[in-house]
Structures are given as structure tokens and as C-alpha cells.
Amino acid sequence: MAIRVVVADDHAAVRAGIALILGGADDIEVVGEAADGEEAVALAREKRPDVVLMDVRMPRLDGISATRELAGVADVLILTTFDVDEYVFGALRAGAAGFLLKNTDAESLVEAVRVVARGDGLISPAVTRRLISAFAEMPPPRDRQAVAGLTPREREVLACVARGLSNAEIAKELDMAEATTKTHVSRVLGKLGLKSRVQAAIYYSAYEE
């Protein structure tokens, strides 16, 4: 089954270019294009895509606010020209599954969509170092009872997510089906009140201190 994608960008030429790139992949289908955040949210709720490729700066509703509204509807991959900390951290806090810059080459963009559609996270190498610094500066979480409320298996899954393992790698390490792994990851995020794997990794890192 093809990966269903909605492309959201306020520049028609950019949208067309992205759609052309993604449409050239045998396993990806662009099911809609949006010119602003409100349209992106409405289209995603209608089409139920696997991934929404989202710009940050858009009229009516910006990409970060739109990402927040799409929690539980579709995975969001931010694609922006702006390498700005405010956008990076804002997008991840809003629940984005990935963050890429628009200078990403076509092959990497297609692969990023596949990665996010699999339920894994992806961050542009250009911003990874700043994220690592941010992780190191985070204080330990206060609500340790939340982790205590996880089942033993869920705690194992959380530890694997914190190590950066993909769903397939977690399934192999813990000897269970990949679909079961994805379910466990979703339950862990829900119980901890988190929106993404990146947030889970930050949370676990601070919890273990």
C-alpha cells in the first residue's frame, strides 16, 4: 500500500516541485496539497494521510500550530527554509515526527517520508547538535510516577526509543511483532503525555539521571 502524503506550503511552485519528487516514488502517493495551515489541517482530517509534509511560515495558521492540531491525525514532517531554534524546538514540542531543511536533496526527502511513515523520527543533521545541547540542559522530570505507571514491557520499549532505535529494531531486540511495537510506543507516549519519540527520548534521558 502506498504512503499517503499531504503537502502543505504557501508557494505553489514549491508544492508542485515537492509533489513531483514524491510522486516519482513507486510507494508514495500525494493525496492533496494545501496553501496554508488551516487548509492543511482540514485536508488531513478529510484525507487521513500517513504523513503531512508541512512548511512553517504559512498564512492563516502557521505550520507549528497546524502540527499541534494534527496530533493523532497524521505524522507531520516539517520541511522549512528556516534553520531557527524557535522553529526546531517549537515543531518538536508540537509533536512533529521530523524536521528537515528545504536544501535536502530529492532522494533524502523521499526517504524521510518513508522513515516517518514507518513511525520513526528524523531530524536534519544540520540541527542535531543543537538538539543534543538542549537535551543536556533539560531538568529531570518531576512526575516520576508516570514512568512507574508503565508496564515492564513499556519501560523496555521506552528505553529502546531513548536509544534511537526504530520500530523494526525494537521489535527485533525485544522479540515481538513490529505492529505490536508501534502499539507499545503509542501507549508509552500517551501515558507520559508526550507527543513524539523525540520528546520521549528527552524525557527518559532526564528520568534516568
Side-chain angles (χ1 to χ4, degrees), residues 52-207:
V52 176
L53 206 57
M54 185 86 72
D55 190 15
V56 172
R57 289 187 177 179
M58 292 188 293
R60 295 208 294 171
L61 188 68
D62 65 85
I64 293 175
S65 297
T67 296
R68 191 174 295 112
E69 291 196 22
L70 288 176
V73 177
D75 287 324
V76 176
L77 174 59
I78 296 291
L79 183 65
T80 180
T81 304
F82 305 99
D83 180 11
V84 180
D85 285 352
E86 176 185 353
Y87 293 156
V88 177
F89 300 132
L92 297 180
R93 283 195 297 267
F99 188 100
L100 284 180
L101 299 178
K102 285 184 178 176
N103 60 6
T104 301
D105 62 66
E107 183 178 351
S108 297
L109 177 59
V110 169
E111 184 56 29
V113 169
R114 291 171 177 151
V115 168
V116 170
R118 288 199 301 266
D120 298 325
L122 184 144
I123 307 295
S124 171
V127 301
T128 300
R129 183 175 295 276
R130 297 206 303 277
L131 284 174
I132 292 173
S133 297
F135 296 169
E137 294 170 0
M138 281 191 66
R142 296 179 180 179
D143 186 11
R144 292 177 177 268
Q145 292 301 315
V147 173
L150 300 178
T151 67
R153 177 61 91 184
E154 287 168 348
R155 286 196 290 273
E156 289 177 336
V157 170
L158 175 59
C160 290
V161 169
R163 287 163 51 198
L165 300 185
S166 67
N167 285 347
E169 291 168 334
I170 295 173
K172 182 177 181 180
E173 178 156 327
L174 300 183
D175 192 25
M176 58 185 179
E178 189 170 344
T180 303
T181 300
K182 190 171 184 179
T183 298
H184 279 306
V185 171
S186 296
R187 287 176 178 170
V188 168
L189 295 180
K191 287 184 177 182
L192 297 182
L194 305 174
K195 294 183 178 179
S196 71
R197 299 169 76 98
V198 175
Q199 289 182 348
I202 297 174
Y203 188 102
Y204 185 81
S205 175
Y207 174 82

